[in-house]
Amino acid sequence: QAQAEAQAVALAAQRHEFALDLARLEAELVAVAAEAQARRQGEEQLAFAVEVLRSELSSECEARASAEAAGQAALREAEALHGRLEAAALEAAEAAGATRAAVD
């Protein structure tokens, strides 16, 4: 009977030890799950930040391209105006020459 009681105590101690091991493993599992969740959230936040930066960069590139196109158009317009001014100056010089010739 003493041997049976000793075996029962040993089994109870072993069961208690298994329960402690199980609780420790469950705690580790919860910690791993929490870490995985934190990583997922961090990755989601990083992906969102990257998308925001990509959008801002795209907008900046579009704005620069638009400004460059406007600058090129203004340059072409200025060149055309310069050509018209040169033509008008040549016309005025010819008219002045003709006026001088008519006066002489």
Side-chain angles (χ1 to χ4, degrees):
Q1 185 180 357
Q3 188 178 10
E5 288 177 6
Q7 284 180 341
V9 168
L11 285 175
Q14 194 175 28
R15 193 175 81 205
H16 181 69
E17 190 176 316
F18 287 154
L20 289 175
D21 286 345
L22 180 60
R24 183 176 40 79
L25 290 173
E26 286 174 346
E28 288 178 14
L29 180 61
V30 167
V32 167
E35 184 178 338
Q37 177 66 23
R39 283 186 181 176
R40 275 193 301 274
Q41 287 176 344
E43 289 170 357
E44 289 171 1
Q45 289 173 348
L46 181 59
F48 178 74
V50 165
E51 190 57 37
V52 167
L53 290 174
R54 182 178 293 136
S55 176
E56 289 176 357
L57 181 59
S58 176
S59 295
E60 178 69 22
C61 287
E62 288 175 9
R64 286 185 182 191
S66 177
E68 185 177 338
Q72 290 293 329
L75 180 60
R76 285 191 300 274
E77 192 174 318
E79 288 171 345
L81 179 59
H82 179 71
R84 288 194 301 271
L85 287 173
E86 283 184 336
L90 182 60
E91 230 179 87
E94 289 173 355
T99 302
R100 277 193 297 271
V103 170
D104 292 339

